[in-house]
Amino acid sequence: VKQYLQEIYEGVILKGWTDQDYLSYVNDLYEKFKTFSVDEISFFKGYNTERESDGFLQMAQTVNPVTGKTVGTTGIAKAATYYNQIIQKMGLGKKYDQLRVGDKCRFLYIEESNPYRINVMAYKDGQWPTEFNGVFKPDYKKMFEKTVLDALKAFRQACKFSECDPSKQVAFDIF
């Protein structure tokens, strides 16, 4: 994704792209992005804080000692717990190592239309279980927002370019 962001920055700064050039590139990039592998679109993160689980895919709630408010589990801790529990449930514990606190891993948003109704998953870098392919689909729209559009937000605003949502582009015949 970094190379595409660089192309956008260079296009605008060095080649004088207009708002339309920018929007066209982002829309085309979204179409390419939907063909990328899980490794190409996922975030590289450190798994640093373990959270307790109340049961299968159920995260324990913690209370902030200062405010007394219930605090949710971080995305990476939840995703790592889901990965570990699903690997065991699918009987893949001997094939794939569990994620442990201190590991560097990949994190991505997945479509909730999976049998487990979860929206995040973590896995060891370069070790996306092939058994997951028929069960989990990357949420390309959300990943594009997080990896591309969020990274471009301040730049786009500084250039006074239009906000876009490539997932809602429609084609029509002007004749």
Side-chain angles (χ1 to χ4, degrees), residues 110-160:
I110 57 176
E111 293 181 5
E112 285 188 59
S113 59
N114 60 70
Y116 301 101
R117 308 311 254 171
I118 59 173
N119 66 347
V120 291
M121 183 60 71
Y123 64 98
K124 290 204 178 211
D125 188 28
Q127 297 180 30
W128 175 258
T130 55
E131 296 84 356
F132 281 9
N133 290 338
V135 180
F136 303 109
K137 290 182 182 177
D139 186 338
Y140 282 101
K141 180 181 182 216
K142 181 117 181 182
M143 290 305 298
F144 190 77
E145 288 170 7
K146 297 292 185 185
T147 60
V148 177
L149 297 180
D150 285 358
L152 289 171
K153 185 176 181 180
F155 182 74
R156 177 188 53 76
Q157 290 171 337
C159 295
K160 296 184 173 33

Side-chain angles (χ1 to χ4, degrees), residues 1-8 29 33 36 40-42 143-144 147-149 151:
V1 171
K2 289 178 185 178
Q3 75 184 37
Y4 295 106
L5 293 174
Q6 180 180 346
E7 286 179 26
I8 292 170
L29 178 56
F33 188 85
F36 293 169
E40 291 172 312
I41 66 168
S42 58
M143 290 305 298
F144 190 77
T147 60
V148 177
L149 297 180

Side-chain angles (χ1 to χ4, degrees), residues 20 30 71 74 77 95 126 133 151 165 168:
Q20 190 56 46
Y30 181 65
V71 181
T74 62
K95 186 174 180 182
N133 290 338
D165 182 351
K168 293 184 180 172

Side-chain angles (χ1 to χ4, degrees), residues 7 10 22 35 41 76 103-104 106 112 115-116 139 145 151 155 160 162 164 174:
E7 286 179 26
E10 289 175 353
Y22 167 80
T35 68
I41 66 168
I76 189 65
D103 284 348
K104 297 288 186 196
R106 291 279 180 180
E112 285 188 59
Y116 301 101
D139 186 338
E145 288 170 7
F155 182 74
K160 296 184 173 33
S162 304
C164 67
I174 61 172

Side-chain angles (χ1 to χ4, degrees), residues 34-141:
K34 293 188 298 186
T35 68
F36 293 169
S37 72
V38 170
D39 282 339
E40 291 172 312
I41 66 168
S42 58
F43 295 108
F44 193 63
K45 290 190 169 213
Y47 174 34
N48 299 317
T49 308
E50 188 171 23
R51 292 287 191 242
E52 293 296 319
S53 175
D54 286 341
F56 184 68
L57 306 179
Q58 302 296 316
M59 301 307 299
Q61 297 292 319
T62 57
V63 177
N64 182 318
V66 176
T67 65
K69 291 184 180 182
T70 302
V71 181
T73 304
T74 62
I76 189 65
K78 187 185 302 185
T81 300
Y82 290 168
Y83 171 85
N84 289 340
Q85 290 180 351
I86 290 171
I87 288 295
Q88 292 306 314
K89 175 100 172 156
M90 293 176 81
L92 302 170
K94 292 184 182 185
K95 186 174 180 182
Y96 300 102
D97 292 333
Q98 287 203 342
L99 293 172
R100 304 205 184 291
V101 172
D103 284 348
K104 297 288 186 196
C105 56
R106 291 279 180 180
F107 170 89
L108 79 151
Y109 291 93
I110 57 176
E111 293 181 5
E112 285 188 59
S113 59
N114 60 70
Y116 301 101
R117 308 311 254 171
I118 59 173
N119 66 347
V120 291
M121 183 60 71
Y123 64 98
K124 290 204 178 211
D125 188 28
Q127 297 180 30
W128 175 258
T130 55
E131 296 84 356
F132 281 9
N133 290 338
V135 180
F136 303 109
K137 290 182 182 177
D139 186 338
Y140 282 101
K141 180 181 182 216

